Amino acid sequence: MAGKHFPFGNPRSAASFPSSSTFLIASLSLLALASLFFLSSSFSRCASDPGPPISLSRRNSNPSSNPPEYSFLASLDKFLVTAAPAAADAADGGDSAVGALDDAIWAKETERLYGDPSDPCSASSVLRVYVYEMPPKFTYDLLRLFRDSYKETTNLTSNGSPVHRLIEQHSIDYWLWADLIAPESQRLLKNVIRVQKQEEADVFYIPFFTTISFFLLEKQQCKALYREALKWVTDQPAWQRSGGRDHILPVHHPWSFKSVRRFMKKAIWLLPDMDSTGNWYKPGEVWLEKDLILPYVPNVDLCDAQCLSETQSKKSTLLFFRGRLKRNAGGKIRSKLVAELHDVKGVVIEEGTSGEGGRAAAQNGMRKSLFCLSPAGDTPSSARLFDAIVSGCIPVIVSDELELPFEGILDYRKIALFVSSSDAVQPGWLVNYLKGIDSKRIREMQANLAKYSRHFLYSHPALPLGAEDLTWRMIAGKLVNIKLHTRRSQRVVKESRSLCTCECRVGNITRLL
């Protein structure tokens, strides 16, 4: 029947009307096409790119045709060539602006609550992020400063680590921001979208590169920029409405933004850990219900399936560690472990930094080892943990107060061993413990490492189940609590003892509930 034309005529005439089965097929086809058109146009209304509807074939394009970039420098070069700074948001504060925004947000939330459940814009599984358009001195200018000075710098931190490598290690602010502001047609994550209207947002992203500014600007220049950023953000009506509870602040290096961050302690901080020592974060500033732990950017290359297969038979070392052997605060455990494991057969403990030579030595050592030691650094966390995971080396974590990224989603017991500091320094205990682990469990953990490694890789474009994706999933899980405390703060009588503030919490310690 394809291609035949049926003129309108007597509906009872078999010659002028198709058979009932053919008519049904044609009707269903038209209905399917209409549905596809509706969904395509609906998604384009939700997405940040205000252009024409995106075709399904384009949205579902094979990522291999546009392979993700994992290198910070390579991705940044491409980004700065194609991206252009947009006009900065105006800081239009005041009670009237805050009230108007609050009313608009309430209207949008009511529309989602009682709206059409088939509408993609009202789907509860989609996280809506408003990205502030901050002046370039907080964003693009700092990225260019990093890129332009990368090859020339010989600066080292106080502990001997190359400054620019340290910035790369904490570059989560770049990876998240670059993905959020990319055209929707180029993004692979569909559970988080950028919205252009503040009243449509679940959370607000502050794209200030706090780590780059800390390491590459003069001390007084950096502090002045921090004060400017603080004023710019806190002048925004959305901040004033919620007290910053629905704002995301990337402060992944524990020194970054330190001079002013106490004024933004109600915001969602993106952190490397909680630091129970109190040296980096003051009590009441950080806690798991509010903030988010994100992994360091690995300093070594991913050991993929082929690499894992090739290195499996070459694992001649029982336990490996390469890094700074003397650290402060909680990291003092390192020197004790060095003394205990010195000259033990099958154990390799080496002094090293994160320079290019150290990187190659660490990568080679991890791939040849069955277990990789991951002790606390100056803070409870250490980049060595994530280097071990992507190298296929089973981490042995000796850090009693460590908090881990994405632990609401991932079970680290499947890929790592947790050893108390008191046990680890007992003579002969650690080596005997590792030798006593049966081969079946080792094989299972190695297989899980191969599966889990993708969760700790940042890339552009961001990949499903990559580090960016799990970040947004964790934040989405905090939304109800964020809105609860925001609305409660708006209606509780000022000075009431029922108004819980950051100060009423005991900080920095995970408690079993």
Side-chain angles (χ1 to χ4, degrees), residues 330 332-334 336-337 375-376 397-401 418-426 429:
K332 291 179 181 178
I333 186 67
R334 291 193 182 186
K336 296 179 181 180
L337 288 169
I397 298 174
V398 186
S399 182
D400 299 339
E401 303 297 337
F418 293 87
V419 177
S420 71
S421 298
S422 58
D423 285 338
V425 296
Q426 295 299 316
W429 188 93

Side-chain angles (χ1 to χ4, degrees), residues 231-347:
K231 184 179 188 309
W232 192 96
V233 172
T234 55
D235 279 348
Q236 300 298 320
W239 177 278
Q240 295 171 11
R241 171 187 173 271
S242 68
R245 291 176 176 86
D246 52 5
H247 283 56
I248 299 169
L249 177 67
V251 281
H252 198 258
H253 191 280
W255 294 343
S256 61
F257 216 51
K258 192 172 183 179
S259 60
V260 299
R261 63 190 180 199
R262 65 185 181 277
F263 300 109
M264 304 180 78
K265 58 188 175 184
K266 293 179 183 177
I268 305 163
W269 289 7
L270 305 183
L271 305 164
D273 59 43
M274 291 290 169
D275 176 37
S276 60
T277 66
N279 291 332
W280 311 105
Y281 310 112
K282 303 301 180 185
E285 284 186 346
V286 297
W287 63 86
L288 286 176
E289 290 79 2
K290 173 179 77 75
D291 303 313
L292 197 64
I293 309 298
L294 296 189
Y296 293 68
V297 176
N299 189 40
V300 298
D301 296 330
L302 170 68
C303 189
D304 57 18
Q306 180 179 348
C307 167
L308 291 171
S309 176
E310 293 173 350
T311 57
Q312 185 61 39
S313 61
K314 301 177 183 178
K315 292 186 179 294
S316 55
T317 303
L318 175 69
L319 180 65
F320 176 82
F321 175 80
R322 179 181 174 85
R324 299 290 295 180
L325 301 183
K326 293 183 179 180
R327 304 297 272 181
N328 299 315
K332 291 179 181 178
I333 186 67
R334 291 193 182 186
S335 58
K336 296 179 181 180
L337 288 169
V338 170
E340 165 58 25
L341 298 170
H342 181 66
D343 286 339
V344 174
K345 184 178 180 180
V347 177

Side-chain angles (χ1 to χ4, degrees), residues 424-444:
V425 296
Q426 295 299 316
W429 188 93
L430 184 57
V431 171
N432 288 335
Y433 169 68
L434 296 178
K435 288 181 177 178
I437 298 174
D438 65 75
S439 58
K440 179 183 177 182
R441 185 182 179 192
I442 289 174
R443 288 193 300 272
E444 289 174 349

Side-chain angles (χ1 to χ4, degrees), residues 62-83:
N62 187 349
S64 63
S65 61
N66 183 24
E69 179 57 69
Y70 296 99
S71 164
F72 178 40
L73 273 180
S75 177
L76 180 57
D77 276 337
K78 296 176 184 176
F79 175 81
L80 290 176
V81 168
T82 58

